[in-house]
Amino acid sequence: MTAKECILGRRSIRKFKADPVSHELLAQIVETASYAPSWKHTQITRYIAIEGELKEKIAAEGTSLYPPNGTIISNAPVLIAVTVIKNRSGFERDGSYSTPRGDGWQMYDAGIASQTFCLAAYEQGLGSVILGLFDQDTVASMLQLPEDRELVALIPVGYPDEAPVAPRRKPVEDLLSYLT
């Protein structure tokens, strides 16, 4: 599969088969995702694979912000919590910001890593969807994250039980401009 085929073929999957995802396969996907670029190679993104009772508790109690996400999480065999190590991306060693974006730069790293994870999962035959609407403090508490970590996104993962068609895309002329 070429990179273009992977990018064009991947869809956000919200319905999954009950088949479990092996821990070995998840490890391979994270190994591939570890090649995502990051600010000054800080590699701040960390993944937590959640299964069983805790996954169901997150689905039931951590999605009041948008309850349909609870159904998606419950339907997936595994849930990936995407976290970042705080105060590294966008910072200098002395703790000062490197850019006017301040600590916001870590979201770029987490976004790149999340998309890389989803593309690597797709290449292995898995579906995924990046969720941003959930009760962040509630879920972070359930995960017992250390003080230096921040929860950024949740990614339900599993073997797809749907094949959505690609939504219409804007033409290149709307997306690209040139200046001279």
Side-chain angles (χ1 to χ4, degrees), residues 21-122:
V21 177
S22 78
H23 291 187
E24 294 79 17
L25 184 54
L26 284 174
Q28 289 174 14
I29 292 164
V30 169
E31 181 180 22
T32 300
S34 76
Y35 282 82
S38 62
W39 173 268
K40 294 187 178 183
H41 198 57
T42 50
Q43 302 179 71
I44 62 166
T45 304
R46 299 294 185 270
Y47 307 91
I48 303 169
I50 307 156
E51 301 169 311
E53 289 180 27
L54 182 55
K55 181 183 72 74
E56 294 308 321
K57 184 175 181 179
I58 291 169
E61 300 174 23
T63 58
S64 64
L65 195 65
Y66 186 69
N69 281 345
T71 303
I72 297 167
I73 292 168
S74 186
N75 187 21
V78 65
L79 177 65
I80 301 295
V82 179
T83 71
V84 294
I85 299 173
K86 297 189 284 189
N87 301 323
R88 287 197 188 165
S89 183
F91 290 85
E92 295 300 324
R93 290 186 188 270
D94 66 5
S96 64
Y97 295 134
S98 298
T99 76
R101 297 202 187 279
D103 67 352
W105 199 265
Q106 68 190 16
M107 294 302 282
Y108 286 92
D109 286 356
I112 294 166
S114 295
Q115 176 67 353
T116 303
F117 177 94
C118 291
L119 290 170
Y122 175 71

